[in-house]
Amino acid sequence: MARVYLAHMKKDDLNRKNGAPQAQSLSEHLRHVAGLMSASAEAAGLSSTAYLIGILHDLGKCSEAFAEYLSWSHAHPGDYSRKGTVDHSSAGGKLLMARYGGKSDDQQLVIELAALAIFSHHTGLLNYIGEHGLMNASGREDAYTFSHRMDKADILTGVDLGYFFENIISEEELDNLFAKAVHELSALDEQIQKQKSDEIYFFYWGMVIKLLFSMLVDADRLDSAEFELGDRLTCAWETEPLWEEFSAKLEKKIAGFPTPREEKAKSIAQLRQKMSDDCLHAAEQTPGIYRLTVPTGGGKTLAGMRFALTHAKRWHKKRIIVVIPYTSIIDQNAKEIREIFDRDEAVLEHHSNVISEEDDGEDTEGMDWRRILTERWDVPVIFTTQVQFLNTIFAGGNSSIRRLHALQDSILIFDEIQTMPVKCTYMFNLAINFLKDFCRTTTVLCTATQPPLEHLDFPIDAGKCAELTTDISEVFEAFRRVRIENCCRDGGSSVEDIAAAICRSAEEEGDVLCIVNLTKQARELYQAVSELVQDADIEIRVVHLSTKMCPAHRKKVLAEVREELRCRKEHPERRLICISTQLVEAGVDVSFPVVYRALAGFSSIAQAAGRCNRHGELAQGTVRIFAFTDENLSRLEDIQAGQKIARALLFEKEADGILSPQAMEEYFRKFYKEQIEGRMGYPLHDGNTLLDLLSVNDAGVRVCKERGDTVHTGFAHAFHDAGWAFEVIDSHAEAVLVPYAAGKELITAFESKDVGWGQDYRKRLKSAQQYMVNLFSYEIKILDRLGAISRMESGVIALREEYYSEAFGVQFEEQQNAYCMI
């Protein structure tokens, strides 16, 4: 019987379909992965390069050593003591070097790029050169470098190349494939060389490497998972008719909006329609980077989607990805779009993850298959967060970067772009430029307060006709619905003073929304106001909102808030006070006659003003700016910087004029000027930047030269070091399943030892997203010490019932609210 090398053998502990194969041949696995990668790489013109990587990625499995290891692992399920004893992920790269190395710069480019992807596909991207050179701190060769893998001896000795060339790909086919890859990357290099600096040139090559690596990780995991589960996990979407269907439904929705009777509200409705029509007409423009500058309450959600659907039809885009800073806005916007499109399976919300996406480098023979169930972003319409998006491009490990190739041929809509963390600015700009230039991606930057991203040292490449709407200054003036009052005192105000002022406003003026910077402040203010309203002469209801409440809980409270506000005409004697962190100020559709805002940057104040007299119900609403005594914003550096500039500008100009485009431009000019010294390149503790590690890596190259290290590569990227240093927010967060409403039953279900890994389990994972709260590592430790959480065999972290409050959400000691939430 002829020898057949295997890629995988089925695990006994998973549900199987009757008659399904119990082993997958290496030939089947390599060819399928290569085919998936080649199809994914068409948009970037790298099909042959991708196929080359895919066909070689598991070459090391074509050996007696791996065959013996695989048989042993199958006979000893759950025993990972031999994990890593057989290196099957280095042989493909070593073969490229042995067969083609040393011949030309163009061939060396292919070898270095393809070999790094192959070497890295179970560890996360390796360094070409580490941040500290080729050696680690102890002076030993770093296992996470390209050179370490390439210098490994005897890797090809046990590989059955005769079998590989006879049964998987012939030598002639491999040589032709390599030659095509050389042509593809040489042509790409000609384009990348047009960049203005070495930093951009090498950053772009880093993006190419990440893109191909993303395709490999996704194809490898997808093929392995489909074999293991005996089920297809993908759906082939016919997007052309889908965009037509969705566009028709959206146009019907817009046409059905009632015309307001009040003159002011009628005028606002007409302006919204004009801006929406501008977006529709602009959708015919070629793919690129655009700005949608719309006043708060201007209807940018539907206007942006109107542009995206028409643009997708015109330019044959594969998906629309809406990126939002807060999960609370995803809850609202995704629901609105779902209701319009009426195709639930075509719309994905991807924010908090029930299962941690961390990777520890284990190979698929020992992999916990729950990780395979992570969303792949393979549906037509996706709502996600800044954290998930930025992790997709810059985080370490394999789970996040797996989604990167889904950004090709897509439309990205960034809602409230001004909330992008300052430290990520340069890398974000360059990544978006790369996606435009090499992946046919269109980007729309939406906000009422546009940051000047095109005027920085590493600018975003928006075209001359980047604005989707016209007459911006006139529109903002027409949308003016509030009066701004500066109530900041020297030394600030106490919680008790602010609580008293809020209660007076509620009694004398109407419903009040108060937005603060910290979760701790929101709780203290809620408690103080709740005590004061007990002595009020009228009925006043007080509610609290923060990110320590799960999405389902926040949805319920927001629905109750909207219903209470809607009923105000029928019940003018009642009052509502809502105390919230800034999660409510960006895109949440509520309208209060009075809004209090703790001092922050002008962009935050403008967003808060968007919750005041939102639909022009009154002649004029009131927004009051105040400052807390001894407010500690040390963990929220961007908010702290914006607050400092806003405080200075408020001494120079009338508060009522700060919402104008001119005032906002001055604010952002000062804001970015103060941040310019290294803050936008993602500074690290050692004085280096993440931008440097992901481009020229001057720090690592300098160390190599000083040591006299031999460098084997033309690239210097420190992918591994950069990936593990990257965090969108400065403290790691984990999702905790909380016992709110249906969350209680889900906790019970996940606790069951009978839980399976099929379709029902995947449905539970998606359902559980609505009952998750993302907690920082220090918060997890607090709860752990209290015995408040448990980690179940399914991988889910669950909160005990007594630690979840109907008023506040998760109960623990002092915590702070993150600016961007997962």
Side-chain angles (χ1 to χ4, degrees):
M1 190 176 194
R3 183 72 167 96
V4 176
Y5 289 102
L6 302 180
H8 304 107
M9 296 178 72
K10 258 196 172 67
K11 296 173 179 58
D12 292 330
D13 59 344
L14 288 176
N15 295 325
R16 305 170 178 172
K17 288 188 174 181
N18 291 332
Q22 300 307 300
Q24 182 188 36
S25 72
L26 181 59
S27 176
E28 179 185 358
H29 175 64
L30 292 181
R31 288 182 179 278
H32 191 212
V33 168
L36 288 171
M37 287 188 66
S38 181
S40 295
E42 285 180 6
L46 297 173
S47 294
S48 295
T49 307
Y51 197 95
L52 178 71
I53 293 169
I55 206 71
L56 290 173
H57 82 281
D58 273 352
L59 175 62
K61 291 184 176 182
C62 193
S63 67
E64 291 295 339
F66 184 82
E68 190 276 328
Y69 164 76
L70 189 59
S71 296
W72 185 92
S73 298
H74 188 258
H76 299 82
D79 183 348
Y80 303 123
S81 60
R82 292 185 58 185
K83 182 172 78 72
T85 57
V86 179
D87 179 358
H88 70 270
S89 59
S90 296
K94 292 282 285 186
L95 177 63
L96 286 172
M97 181 61 79
R99 193 172 182 89
Y100 308 109
K103 296 182 180 179
S104 72
D105 289 343
D106 288 346
Q107 289 184 331
Q108 194 65 23
L109 174 66
V110 176
I111 293 167
E112 291 176 8
L113 186 150
L116 188 78
I118 293 167
F119 291 161
S120 306
H121 75 274
H122 289 305
T123 62
L125 273 172
L126 303 175
N127 298 324
Y128 279 112
I129 296 175
E131 184 181 359
H132 304 290
L134 296 179
M135 312 291 280
N136 62 23
S138 64
R140 294 173 302 177
E141 193 168 28
D142 189 349
Y144 289 102
T145 64
F146 174 85
S147 298
H148 172 79
R149 286 295 191 93
M150 193 59 83
D151 290 344
K152 270 190 166 185
D154 302 324
I155 290 296
L156 288 176
T157 302
V159 176
D160 191 345
L161 291 178
Y163 178 92
F164 179 74
F165 288 130
E166 184 176 344
N167 294 278
I168 297 173
I169 185 171
S170 71
E171 293 186 72
E172 182 181 1
E173 286 175 316
L174 184 66
D175 291 343
N176 289 336
L177 187 62
F178 183 81
K180 290 178 181 178
V182 170
H183 177 76
E184 288 177 347
L185 293 187
S186 297
L188 184 61
D189 191 48
E190 288 183 14
Q191 295 299 312
I192 297 179
Q193 282 185 11
K194 296 177 182 178
Q195 303 313 310
K196 298 178 181 178
S197 70
D198 285 347
E199 287 93 341
I200 301 176
Y201 173 82
F202 283 107
F203 183 91
Y204 273 24
W205 269 116
M207 288 295 295
V208 173
I209 293 162
K210 287 186 172 188
L211 187 66
L212 287 162
F213 182 67
S214 167
M215 297 171 191
L216 173 58
V217 171
D218 184 46
D220 188 30
R221 290 189 172 191
L222 180 62
D223 177 72
S224 301
E226 289 186 339
F227 163 73
E228 189 66 42
L229 299 174
D231 193 9
R232 284 188 60 82
L233 300 177
T234 57
C235 178
W237 292 97
E238 292 290 336
T239 52
E240 298 294 331
L242 200 65
W243 301 142
E244 289 284 355
E245 176 189 336
F246 287 174
S247 185
K249 288 178 176 177
L250 181 58
E251 293 302 315
K252 182 178 179 181
K253 174 72 174 181
I254 292 171
F257 286 143
T259 302
R261 295 180 181 178
E262 297 83 355
E263 197 58 37
K264 178 69 174 178
K266 184 177 181 179
S267 174
I268 287 176
Q270 290 171 341
L271 283 171
R272 282 179 180 151
Q273 185 63 48
K274 175 195 175 298
M275 289 183 288
S276 180
D277 290 343
D278 284 346
C279 289
L280 182 65
H281 298 143
E284 292 294 321
Q285 297 185 58
T286 57
I289 299 171
Y290 296 97
R291 291 187 297 268
L292 176 52
T293 309
V294 176
T296 52
K300 68 177 179 299
T301 299
L302 296 187
M305 187 58 71
R306 202 178 186 198
F307 166 88
L309 289 170
T310 305
H311 192 75
K313 286 190 295 180
R314 172 65 179 82
W315 298 102
H316 313 293
K317 298 302 179 186
K318 292 180 180 177
R319 60 185 55 84
I320 297 167
I321 303 173
V322 184
V323 184
I324 295 176
Y326 302 108
T327 55
S328 57
I329 318 174
I330 291 182
D331 299 339
Q332 171 185 298
N333 292 5
K335 179 176 183 292
E336 184 177 21
I337 295 300
R338 282 186 190 279
E339 290 176 351
I340 294 172
F341 292 170
D342 195 27
R343 287 282 296 273
D344 192 62
E345 74 281 6
V347 181
L348 170 71
E349 297 173 58
H350 186 197
H351 32 93
S352 59
N353 286 310
V354 183
I355 303 298
S356 171
E357 287 193 343
E358 289 187 14
D359 285 289
D360 60 10
E362 61 185 305
D363 60 24
T364 51
E365 280 65 52
M367 181 178 289
D368 188 337
W369 290 98
R370 61 180 179 259
R371 294 182 180 173
I372 299 299
L373 304 180
T374 300
E375 289 90 341
R376 300 179 54 245
W377 287 11
D378 61 347
V379 298
V381 180
I382 298 163
F383 285 82
T384 191
T385 58
Q386 282 181 5
V387 171
Q388 293 290 0
F389 178 84
L390 292 170
N391 280 346
T392 296
I393 302 178
F394 301 117
N398 286 357
S399 290
S400 293
I401 200 173
R402 180 184 182 187
R403 298 185 288 268
L404 177 59
H405 71 94
L407 305 183
Q408 297 179 108
D409 257 334
S410 294
I411 300 170
L412 307 177
I413 302 176
F414 289 90
D415 197 15
E416 310 301 351
I417 188 59
Q418 80 284 351
T419 64
M420 182 66 60
V422 166
K423 64 184 180 181
C424 299
T425 304
Y426 286 161
M427 297 193 305
F428 171 79
N429 287 355
L430 294 179
I432 293 301
N433 291 346
F434 172 83
L435 291 171
K436 170 182 72 76
D437 292 338
F438 297 97
C439 298
R440 304 189 301 203
T441 302
T442 290
T443 296
V444 181
L445 309 175
C446 302
T447 183
T449 54
Q450 289 283 353
L453 299 181
E454 65 272 33
H455 299 303
L456 305 176
D457 287 350
F458 292 93
I460 205 162
D461 186 20
K464 293 181 180 178
C465 302
E467 289 290 351
L468 297 182
T469 57
T470 58
D471 306 320
I472 293 174
S473 293
E474 292 84 348
V475 168
F476 270 74
E477 183 58 34
F479 257 80
R480 188 175 168 86
R481 308 180 303 274
V482 302
R483 178 181 70 257
I484 308 289
E485 297 179 5
N486 181 6
C487 301
C488 296
R489 302 176 184 174
D490 290 341
S493 301
S494 67
V495 168
E496 291 73 22
D497 288 342
I498 299 302
I502 289 171
C503 290
R504 283 196 302 271
S505 294
E507 289 187 283
E508 297 170 5
E509 300 174 89
D511 304 306
V512 177
L513 169 65
C514 178
I515 302 172
V516 297
N517 296 319
L518 301 173
T519 303
K520 179 176 180 286
Q521 294 170 343
R523 293 194 180 199
E524 291 177 351
L525 199 53
Y526 171 83
Q527 290 170 328
V529 169
S530 296
E531 291 178 8
L532 289 174
V533 299
Q534 294 178 17
D535 299 325
D537 295 329
I538 58 175
E539 179 186 350
I540 302 179
R541 182 186 176 191
V542 186
V543 299
H544 165 275
L545 279 168
S546 85
T547 52
K548 302 312 174 191
M549 301 158 69
C550 67
H553 194 172
R554 293 199 303 269
K555 280 182 181 178
K556 180 175 180 290
V557 173
L558 278 169
E560 291 171 352
V561 166
R562 292 189 183 100
E563 180 61 22
E564 184 70 29
L565 295 172
R566 189 188 66 79
C567 295
R568 192 54 68 235
K569 287 185 178 180
E570 293 82 4
H571 300 282
E573 75 285 358
R574 298 198 313 224
R575 295 290 187 270
L576 173 69
I577 296 175
C578 179
I579 311 295
S580 178
T581 56
Q582 60 265 40
L583 70 88
V584 79
E585 74 183 5
V588 177
D589 189 9
V590 293
S591 183
F592 285 78
V594 180
V595 171
Y596 280 73
R597 182 54 168 99
L599 183 62
F602 280 6
S603 56
S604 294
I605 294 169
Q607 296 301 329
R611 305 326 111 194
C612 183
N613 194 25
R614 185 174 178 84
H615 305 295
E617 305 94 329
L618 307 172
Q620 198 169 52
T622 303
V623 176
R624 297 190 174 106
I625 307 169
F626 67 93
F628 278 113
T629 303
D630 300 324
E631 184 177 34
N632 180 10
L633 294 175
S634 59
R635 292 185 184 224
L636 301 174
E637 200 172 5
D638 293 354
I639 295 179
Q640 189 175 45
Q643 186 188 77
K644 179 181 178 182
I645 296 166
R647 194 189 304 273
L649 288 175
L650 282 170
F651 277 107
E652 299 175 5
K653 54 178 80 263
E654 288 292 326
D656 202 32
I658 68 174
L659 299 187
S660 70
Q662 295 76 19
M664 206 61 64
E665 182 179 347
E666 182 180 1
Y667 163 78
F668 274 120
R669 187 170 65 250
K670 290 180 176 291
F671 181 77
Y672 280 97
K673 184 179 180 181
E674 291 199 8
Q675 306 302 324
I676 203 71
E677 295 300 326
R679 284 244 13 240
M680 288 185 280
Y682 201 118
L684 301 171
H685 295 304
D686 61 1
N688 198 11
T689 68
L690 220 61
L691 177 60
D692 180 64
L693 297 188
L694 292 174
S695 55
V696 293
N697 192 12
D698 279 336
V701 171
R702 184 172 59 252
V703 171
C704 285
K705 288 180 178 178
E706 290 171 355
R707 287 178 175 165
D709 291 340
T710 301
V711 178
H712 300 283
T713 169
F715 293 124
H717 303 77
F719 290 118
H720 178 268
D721 294 348
W724 294 112
F726 179 78
E727 288 182 316
V728 182
I729 49 180
D730 292 327
S731 185
H732 176 65
E734 286 188 88
V736 175
L737 181 57
V738 300
Y740 175 80
K744 298 176 184 178
E745 289 74 32
L746 284 164
I747 289 175
T748 301
F750 283 118
E751 283 176 339
S752 172
K753 293 184 178 180
D754 297 328
V755 63
W757 302 102
Q759 293 291 339
D760 288 343
Y761 182 75
R762 293 199 287 277
K763 288 178 181 177
R764 282 201 201 113
L765 287 180
K766 289 204 171 187
S767 298
Q769 286 190 345
Q770 293 300 309
Y771 303 96
M772 306 299 294
V773 176
N774 291 285
L775 301 179
F776 296 144
S777 56
Y778 73 89
E779 295 170 329
I780 295 283
K781 289 176 182 177
I782 290 171
L783 294 173
D784 210 10
R785 285 197 298 268
L786 294 170
I789 56 174
S790 59
R791 297 176 184 266
M792 296 177 279
E793 289 184 15
S794 59
V796 174
I797 304 175
L799 184 73
R800 282 171 51 186
E801 190 164 352
E802 59 267 35
Y803 285 92
Y804 194 83
S805 161
E806 280 283 337
F808 299 124
V810 178
Q811 292 275 56
F812 42 32
E813 297 174 6
E814 180 180 344
Q815 82 257 253
Q816 295 176 324
N817 181 62
Y819 195 46
C820 298
M821 293 310 300
I822 294 179

